[in-house]
Amino acid sequence: MKAIMQNNFSGIAGLVVTTMADPKVSALSVIVRNQFIPVLPYDWLTGEGALKAIRPVKLPMVIGYGFGGIVEKVGRLRNQKLVGRAVIGIQPNGAAKTIINSQVPPLLFKVPQNVTLQAATTLIGGGDAALHAVQKSRINKNDIVLVTGASGGVGTYLVQLLKLAGATVIALASSNNLAFVRTLGADYVLNYQTDLRQQLRNVPHPNKVIDTVGQQDLLTLISQQYETLDILSLSIPVFRPLKINQHFEFSNGSVGINGYQQLLAMLANHQLRAYIQAEYNFEDIKKAHFDSKNGHSQGRILLKF
């Protein structure tokens, strides 16, 4: 099978497509013919060595975290009815492979028939992170929430989930994504590339911030504007708020089995919509990572196998 490896901590330059032995089927195996994986900052930040403090890894390693594919065979201790079903899942030891050997039952989820595999795959590292943020922040209808990175793979889900919870949403986006973010349902959309201080004076004062991008300078600017603020970051573990009545927390927890089932059901009944910026052939991994890192996202980039 083919696999994408991160050979060293040189970032994109260290990515290679290589050939590995096909996995052996065990009693707990579900063998999945991989079709899509989400391109996550988690991957390219790991490849640059930027996550060593919270994700110590040894290289070379197969990249990737989530996957979506079709089950080809199962071991004797797994559900035989999975064969032929579309599934999404988490593969902590690397998902960027043409064949996935999923051996942990709680990390595999059946995709509803009216949900595309591409859409379902965007939940891994996207919808799940957004749902975790909403739960962790205890969002309710009285909250005014400022969202950074509103147009990205997490932000697109986050804005939708916040509105479903009844919150007022102030979304930050680049100049070319303002109209796109408005379609997500945000109440106010601000251009972080212009005078953000003045724009913040013209909208309601947020009581909570959910940060999906991890830019220290941006969080500092936001912190300067308000006396009281709860800041939750999904991207950076450390930030010092500027005011005594401000609180910062970093979190990247799981939503569990029920969370993924909830998100899949919300896609199926059209409460949520998945936004896919682009699909790249897995052999174009370097271009996919470059565009993910340097471009202004409109949803999630997927690699297809």
Side-chain angles (χ1 to χ4, degrees), residues 209-259:
V209 172
I210 300 179
D211 168 49
T212 75
V213 295
Q215 293 182 9
Q216 290 273 354
D217 291 346
L218 181 58
L219 287 183
T220 297
L221 186 153
I222 294 167
S223 179
Q224 289 171 340
Q225 308 307 305
Y226 308 104
E227 293 301 319
T228 59
L229 204 60
D230 288 331
I231 304 171
L232 175 71
S233 181
L234 305 177
S235 301
I236 54 171
V238 178
F239 174 74
R240 292 182 180 274
L242 302 182
K243 308 290 178 66
I244 192 170
N245 290 324
Q246 294 178 351
H247 173 261
F248 172 83
E249 184 175 4
F250 166 74
S251 185
N252 62 350
S254 170
V255 296
I257 296 173
N258 289 338

Short mmCIF file of all heavy atoms in Angstrom, two decimals, residues 209-259:
data_model
loop_
_atom_site.label_atom_id
_atom_site.label_comp_id
_atom_site.label_asym_id
_atom_site.label_seq_id
_atom_site.Cartn_x
_atom_site.Cartn_y
_atom_site.Cartn_z
N VAL A 209 -14.45 34.24 23.89
CA VAL A 209 -13.69 34.11 22.64
C VAL A 209 -13.37 32.64 22.44
O VAL A 209 -12.93 31.97 23.39
CB VAL A 209 -12.38 34.93 22.69
CG1 VAL A 209 -11.52 34.63 21.45
CG2 VAL A 209 -12.67 36.41 22.80
N ILE A 210 -13.59 32.13 21.24
CA ILE A 210 -13.11 30.79 20.89
C ILE A 210 -12.12 30.95 19.75
O ILE A 210 -12.47 31.41 18.66
CB ILE A 210 -14.26 29.84 20.50
CG1 ILE A 210 -15.24 29.70 21.66
CG2 ILE A 210 -13.69 28.48 20.10
CD1 ILE A 210 -16.42 28.80 21.36
N ASP A 211 -10.88 30.60 20.04
CA ASP A 211 -9.76 30.82 19.12
C ASP A 211 -9.43 29.53 18.40
O ASP A 211 -9.08 28.53 19.04
CB ASP A 211 -8.55 31.33 19.91
CG ASP A 211 -7.28 31.29 19.10
OD1 ASP A 211 -7.31 31.79 17.96
OD2 ASP A 211 -6.26 30.77 19.60
N THR A 212 -9.48 29.54 17.07
CA THR A 212 -9.17 28.34 16.28
C THR A 212 -7.85 28.45 15.52
O THR A 212 -7.45 27.49 14.87
CB THR A 212 -10.28 28.02 15.27
OG1 THR A 212 -10.23 28.93 14.17
CG2 THR A 212 -11.66 28.08 15.92
N VAL A 213 -7.19 29.62 15.59
CA VAL A 213 -6.00 29.82 14.77
C VAL A 213 -4.70 29.96 15.56
O VAL A 213 -3.61 29.70 15.05
CB VAL A 213 -6.16 31.04 13.83
CG1 VAL A 213 -7.26 30.80 12.83
CG2 VAL A 213 -6.43 32.30 14.62
N GLY A 214 -4.77 30.43 16.81
CA GLY A 214 -3.57 30.46 17.64
C GLY A 214 -2.58 31.55 17.31
O GLY A 214 -1.37 31.33 17.43
N GLN A 215 -3.06 32.72 16.93
CA GLN A 215 -2.15 33.85 16.68
C GLN A 215 -2.07 34.72 17.93
O GLN A 215 -3.04 35.37 18.32
CB GLN A 215 -2.65 34.68 15.49
CG GLN A 215 -2.58 33.96 14.17
CD GLN A 215 -3.03 34.82 13.00
OE1 GLN A 215 -3.26 36.02 13.15
NE2 GLN A 215 -3.17 34.22 11.84
N GLN A 216 -0.88 34.73 18.55
CA GLN A 216 -0.70 35.48 19.78
C GLN A 216 -1.03 36.96 19.61
O GLN A 216 -1.68 37.56 20.47
CB GLN A 216 0.75 35.32 20.26
CG GLN A 216 1.11 33.94 20.78
CD GLN A 216 0.79 33.77 22.26
OE1 GLN A 216 0.40 34.71 22.93
NE2 GLN A 216 0.99 32.56 22.77
N ASP A 217 -0.57 37.56 18.53
CA ASP A 217 -0.80 39.00 18.32
C ASP A 217 -2.29 39.31 18.23
O ASP A 217 -2.75 40.34 18.74
CB ASP A 217 -0.09 39.48 17.05
CG ASP A 217 1.43 39.48 17.21
OD1 ASP A 217 1.91 39.37 18.35
OD2 ASP A 217 2.12 39.60 16.18
N LEU A 218 -3.04 38.45 17.59
CA LEU A 218 -4.47 38.66 17.44
C LEU A 218 -5.17 38.55 18.79
O LEU A 218 -6.03 39.38 19.14
CB LEU A 218 -5.06 37.66 16.45
CG LEU A 218 -6.56 37.77 16.16
CD1 LEU A 218 -6.92 39.15 15.64
CD2 LEU A 218 -7.00 36.69 15.18
N LEU A 219 -4.81 37.55 19.57
CA LEU A 219 -5.41 37.41 20.90
C LEU A 219 -5.04 38.58 21.80
O LEU A 219 -5.86 39.04 22.61
CB LEU A 219 -4.98 36.08 21.53
CG LEU A 219 -5.60 34.82 20.96
CD1 LEU A 219 -5.12 33.60 21.73
CD2 LEU A 219 -7.12 34.88 20.97
N THR A 220 -3.81 39.08 21.67
CA THR A 220 -3.40 40.24 22.46
C THR A 220 -4.25 41.46 22.13
O THR A 220 -4.71 42.18 23.01
CB THR A 220 -1.92 40.55 22.22
OG1 THR A 220 -1.13 39.44 22.67
CG2 THR A 220 -1.48 41.80 22.97
N LEU A 221 -4.46 41.69 20.84
CA LEU A 221 -5.29 42.82 20.41
C LEU A 221 -6.71 42.70 20.97
O LEU A 221 -7.28 43.68 21.48
CB LEU A 221 -5.32 42.89 18.88
CG LEU A 221 -6.02 44.08 18.24
CD1 LEU A 221 -5.42 44.37 16.86
CD2 LEU A 221 -7.52 43.86 18.10
N ILE A 222 -7.28 41.49 20.91
CA ILE A 222 -8.62 41.28 21.43
C ILE A 222 -8.65 41.49 22.94
O ILE A 222 -9.55 42.14 23.48
CB ILE A 222 -9.12 39.86 21.05
CG1 ILE A 222 -9.30 39.75 19.53
CG2 ILE A 222 -10.43 39.54 21.77
CD1 ILE A 222 -9.48 38.32 19.04
N SER A 223 -7.65 40.96 23.63
CA SER A 223 -7.58 41.08 25.08
C SER A 223 -7.50 42.54 25.53
O SER A 223 -8.05 42.91 26.58
CB SER A 223 -6.38 40.30 25.61
OG SER A 223 -6.25 40.41 27.00
N GLN A 224 -6.86 43.38 24.73
CA GLN A 224 -6.71 44.80 25.08
C GLN A 224 -8.05 45.53 25.10
O GLN A 224 -8.18 46.56 25.79
CB GLN A 224 -5.78 45.49 24.07
CG GLN A 224 -4.33 45.09 24.18
CD GLN A 224 -3.50 45.64 23.02
OE1 GLN A 224 -4.04 46.00 21.97
NE2 GLN A 224 -2.19 45.71 23.21
N GLN A 225 -9.04 45.04 24.39
CA GLN A 225 -10.28 45.79 24.17
C GLN A 225 -11.28 45.67 25.31
O GLN A 225 -12.21 46.48 25.41
CB GLN A 225 -10.94 45.34 22.87
CG GLN A 225 -10.05 45.34 21.65
CD GLN A 225 -9.35 46.68 21.44
OE1 GLN A 225 -10.00 47.72 21.37
NE2 GLN A 225 -8.02 46.64 21.32
N TYR A 226 -11.15 44.64 26.16
CA TYR A 226 -12.22 44.34 27.11
C TYR A 226 -11.66 44.11 28.51
O TYR A 226 -10.54 43.65 28.68
CB TYR A 226 -12.99 43.09 26.65
CG TYR A 226 -13.45 43.17 25.22
CD1 TYR A 226 -12.80 42.46 24.22
CD2 TYR A 226 -14.52 44.00 24.86
CE1 TYR A 226 -13.20 42.55 22.90
CE2 TYR A 226 -14.93 44.10 23.54
CZ TYR A 226 -14.27 43.37 22.56
OH TYR A 226 -14.67 43.47 21.26
N GLU A 227 -12.49 44.41 29.51
CA GLU A 227 -12.08 44.19 30.90
C GLU A 227 -12.32 42.75 31.33
O GLU A 227 -11.51 42.16 32.02
CB GLU A 227 -12.84 45.16 31.83
CG GLU A 227 -12.48 46.61 31.63
CD GLU A 227 -10.99 46.88 31.85
OE1 GLU A 227 -10.41 46.31 32.80
OE2 GLU A 227 -10.40 47.64 31.06
N THR A 228 -13.45 42.18 30.94
CA THR A 228 -13.77 40.80 31.30
C THR A 228 -13.94 39.98 30.03
O THR A 228 -14.54 40.43 29.05
CB THR A 228 -15.06 40.72 32.12
OG1 THR A 228 -16.14 41.27 31.37
CG2 THR A 228 -14.91 41.51 33.42
N LEU A 229 -13.39 38.78 30.03
CA LEU A 229 -13.41 37.93 28.84
C LEU A 229 -12.96 36.53 29.20
O LEU A 229 -12.00 36.35 29.94
CB LEU A 229 -12.46 38.52 27.79
CG LEU A 229 -12.70 38.18 26.31
CD1 LEU A 229 -14.08 38.65 25.85
CD2 LEU A 229 -11.62 38.82 25.45
N ASP A 230 -13.67 35.53 28.70
CA ASP A 230 -13.24 34.14 28.79
C ASP A 230 -12.72 33.72 27.42
O ASP A 230 -13.47 33.77 26.44
CB ASP A 230 -14.38 33.22 29.21
CG ASP A 230 -14.75 33.41 30.67
OD1 ASP A 230 -13.87 33.78 31.47
OD2 ASP A 230 -15.93 33.19 31.02
N ILE A 231 -11.46 33.31 27.36
CA ILE A 231 -10.83 32.93 26.09
C ILE A 231 -10.53 31.43 26.12
O ILE A 231 -9.82 30.95 27.00
CB ILE A 231 -9.52 33.71 25.86
CG1 ILE A 231 -9.77 35.22 25.91
CG2 ILE A 231 -8.89 33.31 24.52
CD1 ILE A 231 -8.50 36.05 25.91
N LEU A 232 -11.06 30.72 25.15
CA LEU A 232 -10.75 29.31 24.96
C LEU A 232 -10.01 29.15 23.65
O LEU A 232 -10.52 29.56 22.60
CB LEU A 232 -12.03 28.46 24.93
CG LEU A 232 -11.82 26.97 24.62
CD1 LEU A 232 -11.16 26.26 25.80
CD2 LEU A 232 -13.14 26.30 24.26
N SER A 233 -8.81 28.58 23.68
CA SER A 233 -8.06 28.35 22.45
C SER A 233 -7.98 26.86 22.16
O SER A 233 -7.72 26.05 23.05
CB SER A 233 -6.64 28.92 22.54
OG SER A 233 -5.95 28.68 21.32
N LEU A 234 -8.21 26.52 20.91
CA LEU A 234 -8.02 25.15 20.44
C LEU A 234 -6.66 24.97 19.79
O LEU A 234 -6.35 23.87 19.33
CB LEU A 234 -9.11 24.81 19.41
CG LEU A 234 -10.56 25.00 19.86
CD1 LEU A 234 -11.51 24.70 18.70
CD2 LEU A 234 -10.88 24.13 21.05
N SER A 235 -5.85 26.04 19.79
CA SER A 235 -4.62 26.04 18.98
C SER A 235 -3.34 26.31 19.74
O SER A 235 -2.29 25.79 19.37
CB SER A 235 -4.76 27.07 17.84
OG SER A 235 -5.87 26.78 17.03
N ILE A 236 -3.35 27.16 20.75
CA ILE A 236 -2.12 27.46 21.48
C ILE A 236 -2.32 27.16 22.96
O ILE A 236 -3.33 27.51 23.56
CB ILE A 236 -1.65 28.92 21.28
CG1 ILE A 236 -2.76 29.91 21.64
CG2 ILE A 236 -1.14 29.14 19.88
CD1 ILE A 236 -2.29 31.34 21.65
N PRO A 237 -1.34 26.50 23.59
CA PRO A 237 -1.51 26.10 24.99
C PRO A 237 -1.28 27.22 26.00
O PRO A 237 -1.73 27.11 27.14
CB PRO A 237 -0.46 24.99 25.16
CG PRO A 237 0.57 25.28 24.13
CD PRO A 237 -0.15 25.89 22.97
N VAL A 238 -0.60 28.29 25.61
CA VAL A 238 -0.25 29.33 26.58
C VAL A 238 -0.56 30.70 26.00
O VAL A 238 -0.17 31.02 24.87
CB VAL A 238 1.23 29.27 26.97
CG1 VAL A 238 1.58 30.40 27.94
CG2 VAL A 238 1.57 27.92 27.60
N PHE A 239 -1.27 31.51 26.77
CA PHE A 239 -1.51 32.91 26.45
C PHE A 239 -1.77 33.65 27.75
O PHE A 239 -2.51 33.16 28.60
CB PHE A 239 -2.70 33.09 25.50
CG PHE A 239 -3.07 34.53 25.26
CD1 PHE A 239 -2.28 35.33 24.44
CD2 PHE A 239 -4.18 35.10 25.86
CE1 PHE A 239 -2.60 36.66 24.23
CE2 PHE A 239 -4.52 36.43 25.65
CZ PHE A 239 -3.72 37.21 24.83
N ARG A 240 -1.18 34.82 27.91
CA ARG A 240 -1.37 35.61 29.12
C ARG A 240 -2.34 36.76 28.85
O ARG A 240 -1.97 37.72 28.18
CB ARG A 240 -0.03 36.18 29.61
CG ARG A 240 0.94 35.12 30.11
CD ARG A 240 2.23 35.76 30.61
NE ARG A 240 3.17 34.78 31.11
CZ ARG A 240 3.17 34.30 32.35
NH1 ARG A 240 2.27 34.74 33.22
NH2 ARG A 240 4.05 33.41 32.73
N PRO A 241 -3.57 36.66 29.35
CA PRO A 241 -4.51 37.78 29.18
C PRO A 241 -3.96 39.05 29.82
O PRO A 241 -3.20 39.00 30.79
CB PRO A 241 -5.77 37.29 29.90
CG PRO A 241 -5.64 35.80 29.94
CD PRO A 241 -4.18 35.54 30.06
N LEU A 242 -4.38 40.20 29.29
CA LEU A 242 -3.83 41.47 29.73
C LEU A 242 -4.59 42.08 30.91
O LEU A 242 -4.08 42.99 31.57
CB LEU A 242 -3.83 42.46 28.56
CG LEU A 242 -3.06 42.02 27.31
CD1 LEU A 242 -3.12 43.11 26.26
CD2 LEU A 242 -1.62 41.67 27.64
N LYS A 243 -5.80 41.59 31.18
CA LYS A 243 -6.63 42.17 32.23
C LYS A 243 -6.89 41.14 33.32
O LYS A 243 -7.00 39.94 33.06
CB LYS A 243 -7.97 42.66 31.65
CG LYS A 243 -7.83 43.58 30.43
CD LYS A 243 -7.25 44.93 30.79
CE LYS A 243 -7.09 45.81 29.54
NZ LYS A 243 -8.37 46.18 28.93
N ILE A 244 -7.03 41.61 34.55
CA ILE A 244 -7.13 40.72 35.70
C ILE A 244 -8.40 39.89 35.68
O ILE A 244 -8.45 38.77 36.21
CB ILE A 244 -7.02 41.54 37.01
CG1 ILE A 244 -6.83 40.60 38.20
CG2 ILE A 244 -8.25 42.44 37.19
CD1 ILE A 244 -6.49 41.30 39.49
N ASN A 245 -9.47 40.40 35.06
CA ASN A 245 -10.74 39.68 35.02
C ASN A 245 -10.93 38.88 33.74
O ASN A 245 -12.06 38.53 33.38
CB ASN A 245 -11.90 40.64 35.21
CG ASN A 245 -11.97 41.20 36.62
OD1 ASN A 245 -11.67 40.48 37.58
ND2 ASN A 245 -12.35 42.45 36.76
N GLN A 246 -9.84 38.61 33.06
CA GLN A 246 -9.89 37.77 31.87
C GLN A 246 -9.33 36.38 32.22
O GLN A 246 -8.40 36.25 33.03
CB GLN A 246 -9.08 38.38 30.73
CG GLN A 246 -9.67 39.69 30.22
CD GLN A 246 -8.83 40.31 29.12
OE1 GLN A 246 -7.72 39.87 28.83
NE2 GLN A 246 -9.36 41.36 28.49
N HIS A 247 -9.91 35.37 31.58
CA HIS A 247 -9.49 33.99 31.85
C HIS A 247 -9.15 33.30 30.54
O HIS A 247 -9.88 33.43 29.54
CB HIS A 247 -10.62 33.23 32.55
CG HIS A 247 -10.35 31.76 32.72
ND1 HIS A 247 -10.86 30.80 31.88
CD2 HIS A 247 -9.57 31.10 33.63
CE1 HIS A 247 -10.44 29.61 32.27
NE2 HIS A 247 -9.66 29.76 33.32
N PHE A 248 -8.03 32.58 30.52
CA PHE A 248 -7.60 31.84 29.33
C PHE A 248 -7.52 30.36 29.64
O PHE A 248 -7.07 29.95 30.71
CB PHE A 248 -6.24 32.32 28.84
CG PHE A 248 -5.67 31.47 27.72
CD1 PHE A 248 -6.07 31.67 26.41
CD2 PHE A 248 -4.78 30.44 27.99
CE1 PHE A 248 -5.58 30.87 25.38
CE2 PHE A 248 -4.27 29.64 26.97
CZ PHE A 248 -4.67 29.86 25.66
N GLU A 249 -7.94 29.56 28.66
CA GLU A 249 -7.82 28.11 28.78
C GLU A 249 -7.55 27.50 27.42
O GLU A 249 -8.11 27.93 26.40
CB GLU A 249 -9.10 27.51 29.37
CG GLU A 249 -9.02 26.02 29.61
CD GLU A 249 -10.27 25.47 30.29
OE1 GLU A 249 -11.22 26.25 30.51
OE2 GLU A 249 -10.29 24.26 30.59
N PHE A 250 -6.67 26.51 27.39
CA PHE A 250 -6.41 25.73 26.18
C PHE A 250 -7.08 24.37 26.34
O PHE A 250 -7.02 23.76 27.41
CB PHE A 250 -4.91 25.55 25.96
CG PHE A 250 -4.56 24.49 24.94
CD1 PHE A 250 -4.77 24.71 23.59
CD2 PHE A 250 -4.03 23.26 25.33
CE1 PHE A 250 -4.46 23.74 22.65
CE2 PHE A 250 -3.72 22.29 24.40
CZ PHE A 250 -3.92 22.53 23.06
N SER A 251 -7.70 23.88 25.28
CA SER A 251 -8.33 22.57 25.37
C SER A 251 -8.38 21.92 24.00
O SER A 251 -8.65 22.58 23.00
CB SER A 251 -9.75 22.70 25.94
OG SER A 251 -10.33 21.42 26.12
N ASN A 252 -8.13 20.62 23.96
CA ASN A 252 -8.26 19.86 22.71
C ASN A 252 -8.85 18.49 22.98
O ASN A 252 -8.44 17.50 22.41
CB ASN A 252 -6.91 19.75 21.99
CG ASN A 252 -5.89 18.99 22.82
OD1 ASN A 252 -6.10 18.70 24.00
ND2 ASN A 252 -4.75 18.65 22.22
N GLY A 253 -9.86 18.44 23.86
CA GLY A 253 -10.44 17.17 24.29
C GLY A 253 -11.32 16.52 23.24
O GLY A 253 -11.61 17.08 22.17
N SER A 254 -11.78 15.34 23.58
CA SER A 254 -12.61 14.53 22.67
C SER A 254 -14.09 14.77 22.95
O SER A 254 -14.49 15.12 24.06
CB SER A 254 -12.29 13.06 22.87
OG SER A 254 -13.22 12.24 22.18
N VAL A 255 -14.91 14.55 21.92
CA VAL A 255 -16.36 14.62 22.10
C VAL A 255 -16.96 13.24 22.33
O VAL A 255 -18.17 13.12 22.55
CB VAL A 255 -17.05 15.29 20.89
CG1 VAL A 255 -16.60 16.73 20.76
CG2 VAL A 255 -16.77 14.52 19.60
N GLY A 256 -16.13 12.20 22.25
CA GLY A 256 -16.59 10.85 22.53
C GLY A 256 -17.47 10.28 21.43
O GLY A 256 -17.78 10.92 20.42
N ILE A 257 -17.90 9.03 21.66
CA ILE A 257 -18.72 8.33 20.67
C ILE A 257 -20.02 9.09 20.41
O ILE A 257 -20.43 9.28 19.27
CB ILE A 257 -19.03 6.90 21.17
CG1 ILE A 257 -17.74 6.09 21.26
CG2 ILE A 257 -20.02 6.21 20.23
CD1 ILE A 257 -17.93 4.72 21.90
N ASN A 258 -20.66 9.54 21.49
CA ASN A 258 -21.94 10.23 21.33
C ASN A 258 -21.79 11.52 20.52
O ASN A 258 -22.68 11.89 19.75
CB ASN A 258 -22.54 10.54 22.70
CG ASN A 258 -23.04 9.30 23.41
OD1 ASN A 258 -23.31 8.28 22.79
ND2 ASN A 258 -23.15 9.37 24.73
N GLY A 259 -20.65 12.20 20.70
CA GLY A 259 -20.42 13.45 19.96
C GLY A 259 -20.34 13.21 18.46
O GLY A 259 -20.95 13.96 17.67
#
